[in-house]
């Protein structure tokens, strides 16, 4: 299997929903599941961000689902749109949506379903002006077909870039794995949690924990600092941000495939 990663970038004013992401850099959306056929698309998305941005998102989506002539991704005409919030917190949402599109230009999941067929797997992530897509594709020839159709279907104010066509990198693990954390740093984190170092109010200081573990205070502090930095990088890379890899020259796409 090959992983095809590409990004659609939106200019301000090109899409009302994406304008919210542009105006609220801390607003983030990532699919938990997404499926498509030639007739409809349904998905689960996890949204996180400031309360005000999420409330604005709710309002925009509610208005859109009630309007006639709504245009979806890439200007695709939406015939029917069902939307439901399954879980809600001040800083998060899990939302379900199901859409049917009319004739003519089709959105990215429908294009992918048409070319890949049964067994389609995809992910999508929105942040800022970017909506990034990942597809698992077994036939390299399909990459160029999807790329060309998506590129030709983009509405005004949208642009397409390719990040990579490679072995799958982002599908095998979910969440943070401790495999890359040295054992002594992992033990330091476990001890800090056990002794309530991360509780509010803090139950024990680093010095008190180091005395319990019979190691120098500076050693424990160093291990905790390194472990916390590692966790922060893992969280940002695996949960928050879209990829920032070098973009692929479209003219080299077919050769790369």
């Amino acid at each position: 299997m090959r992983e095809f990663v590409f990004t659609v970038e939106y200019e301000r004013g090109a899409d009302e929903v994406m304008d919210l992401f542009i105006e609220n850099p801390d607003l983030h959306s990532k699919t938990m599941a997404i499926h498509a056929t030639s007739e409809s698309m349904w998905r689960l998305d996890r949204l996180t961000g400031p309360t005000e941005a999420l409330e604005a998102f709710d309002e925009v989506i509610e208005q859109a689902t009630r309007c006639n002539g709504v245009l979806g991704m890439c200007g695709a005409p939406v015939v029917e749109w069902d939307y439901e919030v399954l879980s809600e917190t001040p800083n998060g949402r899990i939302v379900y949506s199901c859409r049917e599109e009319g004739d003519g230009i089709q959105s990215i999941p429908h294009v992918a379903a048409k070319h890949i067929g049964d067994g389609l797997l995809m992910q999508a992530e929105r942040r800022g002006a970017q909506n990034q897509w990942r597809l698992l594709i077994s036939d390299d020839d399909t990459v160029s077909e999807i790329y060309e159709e998506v590129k030709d279907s983009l509405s005004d104010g949208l642009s397409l870039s390719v990040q990579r066509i490679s072995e799958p990198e982002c599908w095998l693990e979910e969440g943070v794995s401790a495999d890359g954390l040295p054992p002594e740093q992992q033990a330091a984190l476990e001890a800090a949690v056990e002794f309530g170092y991360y509780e509010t109010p803090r139950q024990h200081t680093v010095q008190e924990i180091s005395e319990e573990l019979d190691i120098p205070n500076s050693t424990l502090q160093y291990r905790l600092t390194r472990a916390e930095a590692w966790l922060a990088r893992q969280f940002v890379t695996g949960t928050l941000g879209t990829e920032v890899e070098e973009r692929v020259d479209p003219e080299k796409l077919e050769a790369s495939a």
Side-chain angles (χ1 to χ4, degrees), residues 188-208:
L189 275 179
E190 292 173 351
V193 171
E194 180 181 351
F195 284 97
Y197 178 73
Y198 295 107
E199 298 294 331
T200 304
R202 184 166 289 168
Q203 296 179 7
H204 291 85
T205 65
V206 171
Q207 182 173 350
E208 291 170 339

Side-chain angles (χ1 to χ4, degrees), residues 14 29 45 47 76 103 116 125 164 198 204 209 214 245 251:
S29 171
D45 288 275
L47 287 97
D103 297 330
I116 296 175
E125 188 169 4
R164 70 167 182 269
Y198 295 107
H204 291 85
I209 299 173
D214 195 25
E245 300 180 36
E251 296 181 358

Side-chain angles (χ1 to χ4, degrees), residues 6-245:
F6 62 94
T7 298
V8 176
E9 189 156 346
Y10 292 70
E11 295 179 3
R12 189 183 297 271
D15 182 275
E16 189 174 12
V17 175
M18 288 302 297
D19 280 350
L20 286 175
F21 288 87
I22 295 173
E23 295 163 3
N24 298 274
D26 292 332
L27 186 61
H28 175 245
S29 171
K30 189 172 185 179
T31 57
M32 302 171 67
I34 180 169
H35 305 280
T37 67
S38 59
E39 298 179 352
S40 61
M41 172 186 66
W42 58 103
R43 59 193 290 171
L44 280 177
D45 288 275
R46 183 188 302 276
L47 287 97
T48 57
T51 301
E52 297 79 5
L54 291 172
E55 291 175 347
F57 179 90
D58 293 339
E59 184 177 346
V60 167
I61 294 297
E62 183 177 357
Q63 292 177 354
T65 56
R66 295 178 179 178
C67 293
N68 295 324
V70 171
L71 297 181
M73 288 175 289
C74 306
V78 177
V79 176
E80 185 175 345
W81 191 352
D82 295 324
Y83 175 86
E84 182 179 352
V85 177
L86 302 183
S87 175
E88 179 178 351
T89 67
N91 298 111
R93 304 279 192 279
I94 296 178
V95 298
Y96 164 84
S97 63
C98 180
R99 298 194 309 196
E100 295 183 13
E101 297 180 359
D103 297 330
I105 294 174
Q106 292 184 306
S107 62
I108 290 171
H110 290 285
V111 172
K114 179 172 66 176
H115 289 283
I116 296 175
D118 294 341
L120 170 64
L121 289 173
M122 70 180 81
Q123 295 178 345
E125 188 169 4
R126 290 181 286 183
R127 179 182 292 278
Q130 296 185 340
N131 191 355
Q132 187 172 90
W133 295 84
R134 296 183 179 92
L135 305 178
L136 278 184
I137 300 177
S138 59
D139 181 2
D140 285 350
D141 293 337
T142 307
V143 171
S144 294
E145 297 173 357
I146 293 175
Y147 173 83
E148 291 297 333
E149 184 163 349
V150 171
K151 182 184 68 173
D152 294 342
S153 300
L154 292 180
S155 55
D156 292 340
L158 278 64
S159 59
L160 178 66
S161 63
V162 176
Q163 277 65 58
R164 70 167 182 269
I165 306 166
S166 66
E167 297 300 317
E169 295 183 10
C170 300
W171 299 75
L172 303 181
E173 296 183 359
E174 276 295 325
V176 176
S177 169
D179 291 344
L181 190 64
E184 63 273 11
Q185 294 178 21
Q186 184 174 343
L189 275 179
E190 292 173 351
V193 171
E194 180 181 351
F195 284 97
Y197 178 73
Y198 295 107
E199 298 294 331
T200 304
R202 184 166 289 168
Q203 296 179 7
H204 291 85
T205 65
V206 171
Q207 182 173 350
E208 291 170 339
I209 299 173
S210 66
E211 291 173 355
E212 290 288 338
L213 300 178
D214 195 25
I215 60 175
N217 176 67
S218 59
T219 299
L220 179 60
Q221 184 64 69
Y222 173 81
R223 292 175 180 176
L224 283 177
T225 300
R226 298 290 293 178
E228 290 165 357
W230 182 87
L231 284 172
R233 288 192 298 270
Q234 290 291 309
F235 177 74
V236 171
T237 300
T239 306
L240 290 181
T242 54
E243 297 180 37
V244 291
E245 300 180 36

